[in-house]
Amino acid sequence: MLVDVPTPIAIEVGALGERRMPAGAYAYTGSALGTGGFSRVDRHRRVARGDHDVRHWHIDYLLGHPETDLVRVVRSVGVDVECAVADRLPPGPIDGFGASDCDCRSHLAAGDSRDAFAARVREAHEAAADADDGADWGLADGDVDGGPVVDTVAGTKSERGDR
């Protein structure tokens, strides 16, 4: 998820406590492989729009802040590349963010230019999906038919009247 933070903010992030974040572009990497799959992304979009107030995951605390904007979502469909994508992106300001169930430093990355960072996130997804050996989606090595697809969907900017 690509998130724009136009001004410096302070957020309370569950057990991680209060954290300060400078203005900039951020990318949160999650798997969406649990119960409900990509419907979880729709839930996060509702939090970002202000239509849902429950904070369950670390990203909910960031998306629920009124100064943030969920710009777009890059998805790797058909492959589990959550940590591989996070490893390909620069570190973010909060250690442990979104990474409580793995050994990654953080699943929140930071960048300067929103559009350039969005391209870098998409490239990270494509590289991670290409590097996957196909075991997660039932194909033999090198067989791309029916393999993972990287796509981008809208965030909430076009849905919010205040942005």
Side-chain angles (χ1 to χ4, degrees), residues 32-86:
L33 294 175
T35 304
F38 285 114
S39 66
R40 185 178 304 165
V41 173
D42 292 333
R43 181 197 172 283
H44 292 312
R45 291 173 79 218
R46 288 192 307 275
V47 169
R49 280 194 313 264
D51 296 339
H52 190 70
D53 291 331
V54 176
R55 307 296 185 256
H56 182 73
W57 290 277
H58 290 155
I59 188 62
D60 291 334
Y61 295 93
L62 177 58
L63 294 176
H65 192 285
E67 293 299 316
T68 65
D69 187 23
L70 176 58
V71 179
R72 64 185 68 120
V73 178
V74 179
R75 306 183 305 178
S76 295
V77 181
V79 63
D80 181 4
V81 292
E82 175 183 12
C83 293
V85 170

Side-chain angles (χ1 to χ4, degrees), residues 1-3 6 11 23 25 30 33 36 38 40 54-55 58 69 79 93-95 97 99 106 114 128 139 155-156:
M1 289 182 233
L2 278 277
V3 181
I11 60 172
L33 294 175
F38 285 114
R40 185 178 304 165
V54 176
R55 307 296 185 256
H58 290 155
D69 187 23
V79 63
I94 304 174
D95 286 349
F97 192 101
S106 180
R114 182 173 73 189
L139 301 174
T156 57

Side-chain angles (χ1 to χ4, degrees), residues 101-121:
D101 61 348
C102 67
D103 293 329
C104 295
R105 180 174 168 234
S106 180
H107 280 219
L108 183 67
D112 293 326
S113 165
R114 182 173 73 189
D115 292 333
F117 194 47
R120 185 170 181 184
V121 168

